[in-house]
Amino acid sequence: MSRLRSVPAQRLPARAWSDIAVLSALSLLGVLGFETSFGDYNFLLAGLGGLLVGTGIAVLAYLLRLGTLVSVLAAVLAYFLLGTPFTMPQQGLLLLFPSLASSAGLALGAVFGWADIVTLGTPVEAPYYMPVLPYCAAWLIALVGTMLASRWLPLRPRTVWRSSALLAGPVLLYLAGILMGTDEAYYAGIRGVAFAVIALIWLGWRRSQLATADRVGSSRLLRRKLVGTGTLILGTVLIGALAGAALAPVQAQRFVLREEIQPPFDPLQFPSPLAGFRQYTKTLADTPLFTVEGLQTGQLLRLASMDSYDGKLWNVAGVAGSEGGQAGFRLVGRTIPDPPLVTSVAFSTVTVTGSGYADVWLPGVGYPTTVDFDDSKSSAEAENLRYNAGTGTSVLTSGVKNGYTYTTRAAVQQSYKDEDLEKVPVATVSLPAAENIPDVVVAKATEYTGGADTPIDKLRAIQKALKTQGFLSHGLASDGIPSRAGHGADRIDELFTRSQMVGDQEQYAAAMALMARSLNYPARVVMGFAPAVPDGATSVEVTGSDVTAWVEVAFEGVGWVPFFPTPDQTDVPQDQTPKPKSVPQPQVRQPPRSDNQSDDLLTAVEIDDTKKDDKDKAFTLPGWAWALGGIVGIPMLLILGPVLVIGALKGRRRRRRRTRGSGDTRVAGAWDEVTDGYAELGFQVPRGTTRRLIATEVESQLVGQAGPATGDIRLMPLAELCDHAVFNGEQIDDELVERSWNEALDSLHRAETSVGRLRRLFSRFRIRSRRDWSRVDLSK
């Protein structure tokens, strides 16, 4: 510090102040382009803070005669020390001072914010470090521009290319606001004209020769510059307005990066929600899933909308099947993007508290506009919330766990009467193609809609036919007739080719959606819950028996209209087949019973065993042997007996999984074997979730419980291999089966050798048979 005080401060040139002011104004115009991404003006505070910090440190470093390297280091230090109140005051100490969380956010936002903003749904409110992006960009542009304006530009002040080079930073910032924004530009014409006018005037005045001209020449030059400047401004405004009106792209054609870059999340990594329908009706029928407060009578809880069909499953469209600007899952914060094609007349607010529900699909009412995670446990996972505005489906990629509480405010779709839809055509919506539709579905759709003309009449005819001609059965023991689970092409074909249509919401909703698709109507299947809300009740407990599914079809200017094709009739008529009458047989006299027994034909032979040799006497153990056997043998029997029995059961279980069934079943058995083995070793293996989530959870426990030596044990490759074998629909050969089993047993053996003798001993007394809910057919 004494050395710094000994160096006299230098003054910043007067022209440098004007250069810095111009660069700051241009940078501010560039920062305003981020408004469409953030939605509110918290980004503007961050951008202004970045301009102040970057400019202030660069000017202070020049005044104190600091070198370039020291100036940059001081700017980096100021970036972290002063950035908290501008970007993340909630994470700071007393809203002003940096904390560990805010310092980490300043670093994360500078590195990952550029990639996050083009994959997040707008307005971007999560992760918490997103305001760091405009702060960091403005700080960097201001720092570099001010240092160049004060140190580099004065060396040759009248060189045009040096002045033009200083515009590179504000131009890049302006382009970043465009490319990282949305289709809706923020005052594009006004900002563009203002940026061009300020830049051109500044470049012209940088070439001023007033200092070297005489008094007369100076006045003449001043008049010429004033006239030229006015002409330049007027020409720029006129040309910009005309060119903008003629050449500016329409909103749908505006090029932004978020529409070109696919989000990394793919919902196809999770099982189809509809594939687990029977899990709710059979296994979880009486299990409380969650409690809902604020639910109105007649309201439905939406779980997921499925608009993709491949002949096996109705599924949520993945990245490859997403089309349109509103399609695809994007990371969102508290505020949810507005859905398309929804005409809302009311809003509903509900609070959901999870209990027995464990999945990634987030239940909610209608189309959410805000989602608030109320408890600390779920708030920590709020950054994993992704939303598809096109389908109204929310996903919490980390999974909804017991105790999670969240409040959602949602728009409720307006209901219409059939008379209002008589002349309304279906909407033009880009949906993934429905593949492998059975021929009987197309034939039945034509049969049911034979006398109808309008789309609404045809859809109501299909709904009425399914509802009145079919029968309801969940395939339970209490149902009058068996009902097979699933909604693949074979099951839908069976629904129409049997003597009676029998199924539940899974089959009827899937069948009606396919019929609508065969008529070229935009239809999708929605799965959710329909709990009965008592009059005056403030909350309701939802169980697995409340699960349901319905069909939605998009109408032009109206939105998605629901249809409920599942019948209410459960008494399936039985085939009356008369029993054959018994024909009496002629009586036949039986032969007389013989009084002689077979034993009478044998003559008893007496054997004299009175003479015994001494060597035939029974062997008797000495007393000490009995004592030793009691002390050692009984404990060994108590320990080894259960171990042998449990070991035999485990061996039988392993052989059955490895040798029985098709190839995909045996590959899935390898995964069941390794997860059961880890559970027997004392690891917490989640149930009712996907293999990938299980692999991630177990791998983290390996490092934490068994030590760093287990860091190279990887379950994710095995999980991906099993998912591929189970879900690809191809024939699995024996080589792949053996490979999966070898990897599973090798991983389990390495884990056993790493956990220690005590846990390994306890595992010998445990046996767990894990049912794999991550397979598609969850009901078998």
Side-chain angles (χ1 to χ4, degrees), residues 548-677:
T548 187
W550 64 94
V551 179
E552 290 183 344
V553 180
F555 282 79
E556 187 68 36
V558 171
W560 294 92
V561 177
F563 297 86
F564 301 91
T566 305
D568 300 323
Q569 303 178 78
T570 57
D571 297 330
V572 182
Q574 302 294 328
D575 295 334
Q576 299 297 329
T577 303
K579 296 183 179 180
K581 296 181 178 180
S582 60
V583 179
Q585 300 295 326
Q587 296 183 357
V588 179
R589 182 181 298 275
Q590 300 297 323
R593 182 175 181 271
S594 175
D595 294 333
N596 297 325
Q597 300 296 331
S598 59
D599 294 340
D600 296 340
L601 302 178
L602 300 178
T603 302
V605 178
E606 296 182 358
I607 301 176
D608 185 10
D609 55 355
T610 57
K611 297 181 180 180
K612 298 288 186 181
D613 296 332
D614 294 338
K615 62 180 181 181
D616 295 333
K617 293 181 179 180
F619 175 76
T620 58
L621 288 174
W624 63 268
W626 284 105
L628 181 63
I631 297 174
V632 178
I634 293 177
M636 292 295 293
L637 181 62
L638 294 176
I639 295 175
L640 294 179
V643 170
L644 293 176
V645 173
I646 294 175
L649 293 175
K650 290 182 180 180
R652 179 175 176 272
R653 179 189 67 186
R654 180 174 297 181
R655 288 192 300 272
R656 184 177 67 252
R657 288 173 171 175
R658 192 167 186 173
T659 58
R660 293 185 182 180
S662 58
D664 61 332
T665 303
R666 289 185 287 162
V667 172
W671 177 259
D672 294 343
E673 185 69 23
V674 74
T675 52
D676 288 346

Side-chain angles (χ1 to χ4, degrees), residues 691-733:
R691 296 186 179 91
R692 300 190 182 191
L693 292 179
I694 293 175
T696 303
E697 178 67 21
V698 174
E699 287 175 2
S700 63
Q701 295 182 41
L702 278 169
V703 178
Q705 300 181 22
T710 60
D712 59 341
I713 299 179
R714 303 287 295 167
L715 289 180
M716 188 62 69
L718 178 61
E720 294 174 350
L721 186 148
C722 293
D723 281 342
H724 175 75
V726 170
F727 298 119
N728 66 354
E730 299 176 357
Q731 190 69 23
I732 306 301
D733 54 15

